[in-house]
């Protein structure tokens, strides 16, 4: 996206330990200032509406002057994102997800049809990716310290105990009552790998219902959806940032009536005993994924793009290519490490670049 503000919901980390909240804010402000300076001399061609939610900046871009109702409609769409955060958050005790995590290991918990349908979609993605996407991987996140922002290498006993709490295949479903029962004590659900994409899709319906057909909408830059085109173009441009070189873009991806999701661990990691551990965990093994810097997926919906970006990061290029052979409408861009700070790009499917 040529004129996107560079804001990051991804946390920066020091070698060996996580950054303090104050240093995290300083790093984020530094990245944002780089982008502000880049845009300073450009003519204003778009309007921007933003709100903080789900630990990210949700931002809507529209062509300047195209819609008289743009402000009110954008507020309504962002209100929908805020509503969904209260429903889907792992961290808010009153959310429906928190109720499932508290009571679900012991008895079925009835939830709204909206949340039930999303969880069913998560289960379908779990099956389609052979477990590479799994919203019950929360116990692993906790034992590796990523949930607490304090990375640590667990003991083998801790890893195996957490792994035993992971498997969407153990969830029991009651379609009649929209009820969910988790697979046992210690199992928890977290929608961090799909929630922002889902929120974009739901909020996009608000924009479209109000007659808006040209806009770009992102949640923390890692989840993006686009409709129509930016003035003067046939699409919108979304920048794919270099995972190892701050402020540098690898490429610009054209996006129109399509969504994009990116998963990576270039900034969320820690070092221990000379080894780097990233925050994207393989729910099938309980270990962090290695040898991939980022995976970007282009898909019809932001929900699917968000989830498959995580799944493909776990699966790697070979498994992802086999998956895409059955889904030709998908596009995938892997950024792999090369010598030094160089990278190798692997593309497959309909990427547009």
């Amino acid at each position: 996206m040529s004129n996107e503000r560079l804001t990051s919901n991804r946390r920066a980390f020091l070698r060996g330990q996580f950054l303090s909240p104050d240093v995290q804010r300083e790093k984020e402000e530094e990245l944002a200032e780089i982008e502000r300076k880049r845009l300073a001399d450009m003519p204003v061609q778009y309007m921007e509406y933003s709100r903080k939610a789900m630990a990210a900046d949700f931002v809507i871009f529209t062509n300047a002057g195209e819609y008289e109702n743009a402000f009110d409609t954008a507020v309504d769409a962002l209100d929908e994102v805020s509503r969904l955060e209260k429903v889907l958050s792992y961290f808010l005790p009153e959310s429906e997800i928190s109720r499932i995590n508290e009571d679900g290991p012991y008895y079925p918990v009835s939830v709204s049809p909206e949340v039930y349908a999303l969880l069913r979609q998560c289960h379908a993605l779990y099956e389609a990716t052979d477990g590479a996407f799994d919203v019950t991987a929360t116990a692993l996140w906790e034992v590796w310290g990523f949930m607490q922002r304090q990375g640590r290498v667990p003991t083998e006993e801790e890893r195996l105990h957490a792994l035993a709490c992971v498997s969407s295949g153990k969830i029991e479903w009651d379609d009649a009552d929209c009820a969910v029962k988790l697979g046992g004590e210690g199992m928890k659900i977290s929608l961090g790998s799909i929630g922002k994409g889902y929120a974009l899709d739901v909020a996009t319906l608000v924009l479209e219902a109000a007659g808006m057909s040209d806009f770009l909408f992102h949640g923390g830059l890692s989840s993006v959806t686009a409709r129509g085109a930016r003035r003067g173009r046939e699409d919108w441009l979304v920048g794919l940032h270099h995972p190892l070189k701050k402020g540098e873009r690898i490429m610009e991806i054209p996006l129109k009536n399509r969504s994009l999701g990116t998963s990576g661990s270039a900034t969320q990691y820690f070092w221990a005993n000379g080894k780097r551990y990233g925050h994207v965990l393989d729910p099938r093994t309980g270990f962090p994924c290695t040898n991939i810097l980022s995976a970007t997926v282009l898909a019809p919906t932001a929900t699917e793009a968000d989830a498959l970006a995580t799944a493909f990061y776990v699966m790697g290029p070979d498994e992802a290519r086999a998956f895409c052979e059955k889904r030709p409408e998908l596009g995938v861009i892997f950024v792999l490490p090369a010598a030094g700070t160089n990278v190798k790009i692997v593309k497959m499917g309909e990427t547009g670049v």
Side-chain angles (χ1 to χ4, degrees), residues 147-320:
M147 194 68 76
Q148 301 82 14
R149 305 291 186 184
Q150 297 176 342
R152 58 181 289 271
V153 178
T155 65
E156 181 71 357
E157 181 180 1
E158 289 174 327
R159 182 185 64 83
L160 292 175
H161 182 269
L163 191 60
C165 300
V166 176
S167 177
S168 289
K170 298 178 181 178
I171 296 177
E172 297 178 18
W173 307 91
D174 184 339
D175 294 345
D177 292 333
C178 292
V180 177
K181 184 179 185 301
L182 300 181
E185 191 168 349
M187 179 178 285
K188 297 178 182 179
I189 288 174
S190 174
L191 300 179
S193 55
I194 197 172
K196 290 196 298 295
Y198 178 75
L200 286 178
D201 284 337
V202 174
T204 289
L205 296 177
V206 175
L207 300 176
E208 292 178 325
M212 295 177 64
S213 57
D214 295 305
F215 59 86
L216 188 139
F217 195 176
H218 77 71
L221 298 180
S222 62
S223 302
V224 188
T225 194
R227 295 293 184 272
R230 178 178 170 176
R231 183 175 291 124
R233 290 190 54 85
E234 296 181 353
D235 49 34
W236 296 85
L237 287 179
V238 178
L240 180 60
H241 294 279
H242 197 297
L244 301 178
K245 298 179 180 179
K246 184 174 61 177
E248 182 175 321
R249 294 182 174 193
I250 294 176
M251 65 179 70
E252 290 187 321
I253 303 170
L255 204 62
K256 181 177 183 178
N257 302 330
R258 207 177 187 197
S259 299
L260 175 152
T262 296
S263 180
S265 62
T267 57
Q268 297 190 48
Y269 63 91
F270 68 92
W271 287 81
N273 301 319
K275 186 173 181 179
R276 181 184 184 278
Y277 296 92
H279 81 290
V280 182
L281 303 171
D282 187 336
R284 303 167 299 185
T285 67
F287 286 106
C289 303
T290 58
N291 300 322
I292 296 175
L293 293 174
S294 70
T296 295
V297 173
L298 294 98
T301 69
T303 304
E304 195 169 40
D306 209 2
L308 288 179
T310 299
F312 289 174
Y313 191 100
V314 172
M315 295 161 69
D318 292 339
E319 285 187 67

Side-chain angles (χ1 to χ4, degrees), residues 72 120 126 132 270 337:
D72 290 339
R120 272 301 207 178
Y126 163 81
F270 68 92

